[in-house]
Amino acid sequence: MSLGASKAETSKVEISYAQVEQAATRLLGVAHCTPVLTSRTVDSLTGAEVFFKAENFQRTGSFKFRGAYNALASLGRVDRGRGVLAFSSGNHAQGVALAGKILGIQTAIVMPKDAPTAKLAATQGYGAEILLYERSEFQQLELQRAIATERDNCIIPPFDHPDVIAGQGTSAQEFFAVVPDLDLLLVCCGGGGLLSGCAIVAQALAPQCRVIGVEPAAADDATRSFRAKILQTNPTVPQTICDGARTPQLGELTFPIVMRLVHDMVTVSDAEVLATLQMLAERMKLVVEPTAALAAAAVLQGKVAVAGKRVGVMISGGNVDLARLWGEISLSALD
Amino acid sequence: MSLGASKAETSKVEISYAQVEQAATRLLGVAHCTPVLTSRTVDSLTGAEVFFKAENFQRTGSFKFRGAYNALASLGRVDRGRGVLAFSSGNHAQGVALAGKILGIQTAIVMPKDAPTAKLAATQGYGAEILLYERSEFQQLELQRAIATERDNCIIPPFDHPDVIAGQGTSAQEFFAVVPDLDLLLVCCGGGGLLSGCAIVAQALAPQCRVIGVEPAAADDATRSFRAKILQTNPTVPQTICDGARTPQLGELTFPIVMRLVHDMVTVSDAEVLATLQMLAERMKLVVEPTAALAAAAVLQGKVAVAGKRVGVMISGGNVDLARLWGEISLSALD
């Protein structure tokens, strides 16, 4: 199966809430049902009731484990035997690697040679084979085609896959089980897998709830796409500390879902993300990674009118080089 | 009431589990029932089942709110009218200030002029009056006598007070409600208020559970006292990053409780605390302050035999200057 064929197949697929329910059944006892946290400080600052879904406490440190596990667990016997391949230097890599370890499926992760040592080590620690490449030598798509042709593995993409999207949606299903009557749900957006999954769940469980996607200002392709109603792209790799949102564009599956089920898109600056990370650490004692603080930043920095509302905020992960992050926060405070 | 008289009165007092139950009733709906967290990584590293009671999520960011609130809520009408005085540049200050705000009792906190600005601001934010003094000009005890004579406030000491000890014990009561069959319970020790409260609860609810106090190696007065069976003192202010354990000695109440109900005392180095803080942040996504990581350090650095056991670890607070802490961790990694 080539990547191209896979994309063509999946682009026709509709993803239903029933698929999220099936994902939840697969994930039961495997993924953590992460806690929903509140803060009186945040409530009094915003005049809202704010609920944080803490996916930074998820296995592998981010929501990505949900989608990866659901995708691997959905493979048939033959595909399991072929092993799984993923392209990621981030949280998807760790999600796929741990899912493979749990399910007894061989996994290989393609990572750039300059990926952080800690992420390489964590992914290897879950038993994945690591395939390193020189970032300068290949265009991402070329590389994917070359490796996919060479190996017969099943490719699990990071967001544009029905089982991945359904898996990510289980986080929102858990969220609404704890707080059924949210007025707003804010979710960070890179490739749109988590946002799409959450929007599908909100439509089914809480149709009154407005779903808002949040992007870094420097990687606002989805926001522009949402406004233009035509898929927009980041022309170059976006320069933002939100590394999980440096994706070039929404996917063939996620773009239509975002257009149909998401109510609005907003952006926040890197400085606003840093201020939010500091607040989450100092007041809520949470270690959060930059991309995972986008939704919280939109609420705390006044990008969305929240006063008097019940507001759900997805905190999507906590995998971050802390020494480096606090260096950036200190520098930012000097500005 | 002078400080001296207060000490003499209280030194005869026994503290029973019933007082912890009364404290729990007072704290119901006021203090957070903090979560008990686990980590597969920690379990596989230690070969034990380790449970972390996350008091860093407590109101004001530490367990100190429990004891402070219980002490203030226990005051009679006349004493409430006199207002409350506390000596603290740390978590006790914030605990007393917030308790006073909730109960409508005026509070004044005596702090050194060089206390961290963030702590001054937080304490003031809860509505306490701040009395600053020049650290070099006064011995702690002299200063306390001078201010206590000048003002007619009730003094709420940070640990050596029955209501404070009973209040801190409620954290262990909640812990055993979630995990009744702990083999070991590890608790950090400064003045011994939390350790005493936890030991009283363990004796009542889980007599099979061994209670172990943990101190910084550079402030090991309680460990030496425990071994010598005679109260030992830190001759000078201990040099350790664990600022909550820089107390000169156990109290008149806490020393006998530690001797009677605590099963062992161990120490850990500052480097071991820093390694533990990093692990708690990177793997468990928790912001923890140095003193609050002592118990976790004893488990993670192999100071106590835990393999095959069910181990409770008190994480007592999360109020820390993160930029400074990560600077120290980075420096420590270079050693």
Side-chain angles (χ1 to χ4, degrees), chain A residues 111-125:
Chain A
M111 284 186 164
K113 275 192 178 157
D114 59 0
T117 325
K119 295 214 166 171
L120 285 170
T123 308
Q124 240 162 351

Side-chain angles (χ1 to χ4, degrees), chain A residues 56-57 284-285 287 318-319, chain B residues 56-57 284-285 287 318-319:
Chain A
N56 53 334
F57 292 143
M284 296 187 68
K285 315 305 174 192
V287 174
N319 293 327
Chain B
N56 54 333
F57 292 143
M284 295 186 68
K285 315 304 173 190
V287 174
N319 293 327

Side-chain angles (χ1 to χ4, degrees), chain B residues 183-207:
Chain B
D183 299 308
L184 292 174
L185 174 61
L186 288 101
V187 184
C188 59
C189 179
L194 179 63
L195 179 57
S196 296
C198 290
I200 290 164
V201 172
Q203 190 203 28
L205 298 184

